[in-house]
Amino acid sequence: MPESPLAQADPAMSTSTCTFADRCVSVLCCRFCQQVLSSRGMKAVLLADTETDLYSTDIPPTSTVDFIGNCYFTEICQCKLKNIACLKCGNVVGYHVIAPCKPCLLSCNNGHFWMFHSQNVFGINRLDSSGANILLWGNLPDSEESADEDELGISEEEYLR
């Protein structure tokens, strides 16, 4: 069970812990079946335990994961959580912060409420439209901000580049 459910971007990846525009965008895949779970992943760490690596995303991956089990709370805060499992293989891959607590919301976090355990998913750096540079959060196309994961139109070739 996570210690504090909200994440901050990995502080080792930037000089500013509250600026996320320079973070790499990752394609997140299930370690158990290689199913793509999200094309908008960010490498992050738990707020309360910076030794715990994970990934997070800002758009609900509703076509690739579903809720499993009951809601629960951590010992360290009052965020309400629920586990999520890969729809292809059924393995738990992370959790969703259903209702964040006030202290977590007020802390420096990346605003993502869908968390993926690094031992259950792997990330592949996503390339920009030129295929030459790693895509950064600050350069994500505006059209993706409200797009569902199914409608992103990202080709398999772009994932593999």
Side-chain angles (χ1 to χ4, degrees):
M1 188 180 316
E3 289 190 18
S4 178
L6 288 182
Q8 66 180 20
D10 187 346
M13 300 174 79
S14 173
T15 57
S16 172
T17 58
C18 287
T19 302
F20 305 106
D22 63 343
R23 302 297 193 265
C24 297
V25 178
S26 296
V27 175
L28 303 180
C29 303
C30 176
R31 281 197 190 273
F32 305 101
C33 69
Q34 287 68 54
Q35 172 70 30
V36 173
L37 302 173
S38 175
S39 61
R40 293 176 62 96
M42 179 186 289
K43 189 172 175 80
V45 294
L46 284 179
L47 288 172
D49 178 10
T50 57
E51 298 298 313
T52 301
D53 291 327
L54 49 83
Y55 290 93
S56 63
T57 190
D58 59 339
I59 293 182
T62 54
S63 63
T64 59
V65 300
D66 202 357
F67 293 112
I68 188 168
N70 296 320
C71 291
Y72 60 93
F73 298 90
T74 66
E75 294 177 9
I76 203 159
C77 74
Q78 289 301 306
C79 288
K80 185 177 182 180
L81 312 175
K82 192 160 188 176
N83 285 335
I84 53 174
C86 173
L87 284 175
K88 185 173 180 184
C89 68
N91 284 295
V92 173
V93 291
Y95 60 93
H96 175 52
V97 182
I98 302 282
C101 69
K102 189 173 182 177
C104 285
L105 280 177
L106 294 176
S107 64
C108 177
N109 68 74
N110 63 11
H112 295 183
F113 298 104
W114 297 87
M115 309 301 170
F116 296 88
H117 303 299
S118 59
Q119 67 269 27
N120 296 357
V121 301
F122 62 91
I124 301 168
N125 285 337
R126 185 172 152 191
L127 300 177
D128 64 12
S129 58
S130 75
N133 302 303
I134 293 174
L135 182 61
L136 302 178
W137 273 89
N139 298 331
L140 273 171
D142 289 339
S143 62
E144 281 191 31
E145 289 181 10
S146 61
D148 185 79
E149 290 287 332
D150 280 343
E151 300 169 359
L152 292 179
I154 298 168
S155 68
E156 184 175 328
E157 179 182 326
E158 185 175 345
Y159 286 133
L160 300 175
R161 276 194 265 182

